[in-house]
Amino acid sequence: EADIYQTPRYLVIGTGKKITLECSQTMGHDKMYWYQQDPGMELHLIHYSYGVNSTEKGDLSSESTVSRIRTEHFPLTLESARPSHTSQYLCASSPTRGRRGQETQYFGPGTRLLVL
Amino acid sequence: AQTVTQSQPEMSVQEAETVTLSCTYDTSESDYYLFWYKQPPSRQMILVIRQEAYKQQNATENRFSVNFQKAAKSFSLKISDSQLGDAAMYFCAFSNTGNQFYFGTGTSLTVIP
């Protein structure tokens, strides 16, 4: 099991609330990612970071924002939650690129978000 | 652009039997990694097996093995002696030297007792 943690694991919140999903890893990985996944469906990359102070948007348009102030921490924030944000959010990390390519991604347990 | 295709949304296998999950990908690169991830219901996504494109030998991890056909851009996963705990969503993934990961749409595997 990889050392990557997400909190909360489950969150039910009302429309309009600001929420922050936490993701931390203790492996010293430079790269971190956020995916959105509806249950049993494919993953959609929404944000990624290649290191401190580096953040990029992924393929899926998202109203969320991220920050990377510390290597181990990559929180995702929704300024105003809406029912359309209801989904599962997966955080992942991977080490610095090896000799021939990117290494494995390790996933956190996920946060299931329900916006009422 | 890289794409990963899993053409089998659902598969089932009898316990103790063997099942093969298909995955094809499209890339113009020659150096990359391929992965199979397993996501049990309501549980964490974990790596099952990975293959480096420059290695001709197919990767094997216990009951899991791959059939990597680089020219055909095919990367199938074979599960031998299937167990009830193998029931999960399986995602095929591709990683290139541009530090991007691409995932397939997943195959839901049911293991029948």
Side-chain angles (χ1 to χ4, degrees), chain B residues 83-95:
Chain B
Q83 301 175 0
L84 295 178
D86 295 334
M89 281 289 286
Y90 286 82
F91 291 94
C92 179
F94 168 98
S95 169

Side-chain angles (χ1 to χ4, degrees), chain A residues 6-23:
Chain A
Q6 290 185 244
T7 57
R9 294 292 309 278
Y10 303 93
L11 179 62
V12 180
I13 202 163
T15 297
K17 299 292 186 182
K18 177 180 178 179
I19 58 173
T20 297
L21 308 185
E22 301 288 349
C23 177

Side-chain angles (χ1 to χ4, degrees), chain A residues 11 18 20 39 47 65 73 86 90 96 101:
Chain A
L11 179 62
K18 177 180 178 179
T20 297
H47 296 283
T65 58
H73 195 214
T86 295
L90 297 178
T96 302

Side-chain angles (χ1 to χ4, degrees), chain B residues 36-77:
Chain B
W36 277 99
Y37 282 89
K38 171 185 177 182
Q39 187 180 37
S42 301
R43 291 183 62 187
Q44 199 158 345
M45 181 98 74
I46 58 172
L47 177 70
V48 175
I49 197 166
R50 76 173 197 175
Q51 175 80 40
E52 295 160 58
Y54 71 92
K55 289 187 176 179
Q56 292 185 337
Q57 187 173 7
N58 288 326
T60 300
E61 289 286 342
N62 300 314
R63 299 182 294 107
F64 298 88
S65 61
V66 298
N67 183 7
F68 174 46
Q69 301 289 329
K70 191 171 184 178
K73 296 179 183 176
S74 170
F75 183 61
S76 60
L77 174 70

Side-chain angles (χ1 to χ4, degrees), chain B residues 92-113:
Chain B
C92 179
F94 168 98
S95 169
N96 63 8
T97 54
N99 299 324
Q100 283 275 35
F101 268 76
Y102 301 87
F103 286 85
T105 52
T107 296
S108 177
L109 178 66
T110 300
V111 180
I112 303 166

